[in-house]
Structure formats: C-alpha cells, structure tokens
Amino acid sequence: MLAETICAAVSAAGLGIAAVAAYRKRFLTAARVAAYALVPLGLVLTGVVEWAAGTVFSPTAWVGVGVLGAAWGLFMTTRAVERRRAARASAGGGGTGPQAVAPSAPAPALGKAGRPAAEPGGRAKPKGKQPAAGTDDDFSDIEAILKKHGI
C-alpha cells in the first residue's frame, strides 16, 4: 500500500513539473517529463509494484533465488572441469575416460593439391608446374601457426 502511494505521488510531482515546463514553452521537455512521470503510475495500475513488493519480502522467493544460484554454480563448475579434461586430453596428458568434447575435425589439406591458381591472363596453371619460389615462404608462417594449434 505504501509503495503504491509513493508511486502515485512521484507521478503527480512529475506531471506538475511537466506542466511548468509546458508553461515555459518547452513542450519537448514537458512531453518527456510527462512520459517518465506516467511510468510509476502505470506500474502500480498493472500490479507490477504489488508483485515486486510481495517477491522482495517473501522468504520463499529468496530461497528460490538461492537454489537458482546453486544450480548456476554447479553448471559453471562442471563446464570448468570438462574444459580442463579436454585440455589434458589434447595435451597428451592421458585421460582414459570418455572425452567431454567431440574429437577435433581432421586437419585440412594445405598442400599443393588444391585448385590450380589462375594466371594473370585468365588461364589456369597446369598441375605439373611448380609454384614460384616465394609462394612457399608466404604460407610457412601460416602453417607454423596451424601446427602450433594442432590443426
């Protein structure tokens, strides 16, 4: 009951401020203040304030919040354990049990068996020719990064 009275008083005060702003020919400000002033009144009329007050002061609701917090903590703990197991298994530390994550996909072929590159004239290079000497150097750093990550 007290919360509803306070919300109604805040709305009335806000509408008074909006009326003063409109009297001073600041209609945009008056409309904005009136919109903010009507929000608490709307919350009271829809019953949100009564529901919130009943929830905040309810011991059952707080027990429910605690149970949800415990469930969240368990989820986060199990995710951390799964990640550690997966990291150990991928690092070669063993892990005789089933893995927590799916095995990694096969490594992509980065060799010269891909599509032939196009020449400047628009024709494709035949497969028999070797690429220029600088081409292997261009991909060596990329290959090193991929090997570092086990791909």
Side-chain angles (χ1 to χ4, degrees):
M1 181 74 180
L2 181 63
E4 289 87 356
T5 305
I6 291 171
C7 287
V10 167
S11 291
L15 290 175
I17 293 170
V20 170
Y23 178 76
R24 293 182 179 173
K25 306 277 190 221
R26 296 182 179 171
F27 297 112
L28 186 61
T29 303
R32 189 174 295 128
V33 170
Y36 281 120
L38 292 174
V39 170
L41 187 61
L43 291 174
V44 167
L45 293 175
T46 57
V48 172
V49 173
E50 183 180 340
W51 171 80
T55 303
V56 168
F57 297 116
S58 169
T60 307
W62 285 109
V63 169
V65 169
V67 168
L68 288 174
W72 179 81
L74 287 171
F75 279 128
M76 293 300 111
T77 303
T78 57
R79 286 190 66 187
V81 169
E82 284 178 350
R83 287 184 181 182
R84 285 188 180 183
R85 283 185 183 170
R88 281 189 198 144
S90 67
T96 58
Q99 292 186 357
V101 295
S104 63
L110 296 176
K112 299 171 185 142
R115 295 185 307 180
E119 290 185 74
R123 298 183 322 229
K125 287 186 191 177
K127 286 187 178 183
K129 289 190 177 181
Q130 294 294 327
T135 311
D136 284 339
D137 294 336
D138 293 341
F139 294 109
S140 63
D141 55 346
I142 296 172
E143 288 177 4
I145 292 171
L146 291 173
K147 286 179 183 177
K148 177 183 173 186
H149 290 287
I151 297 176

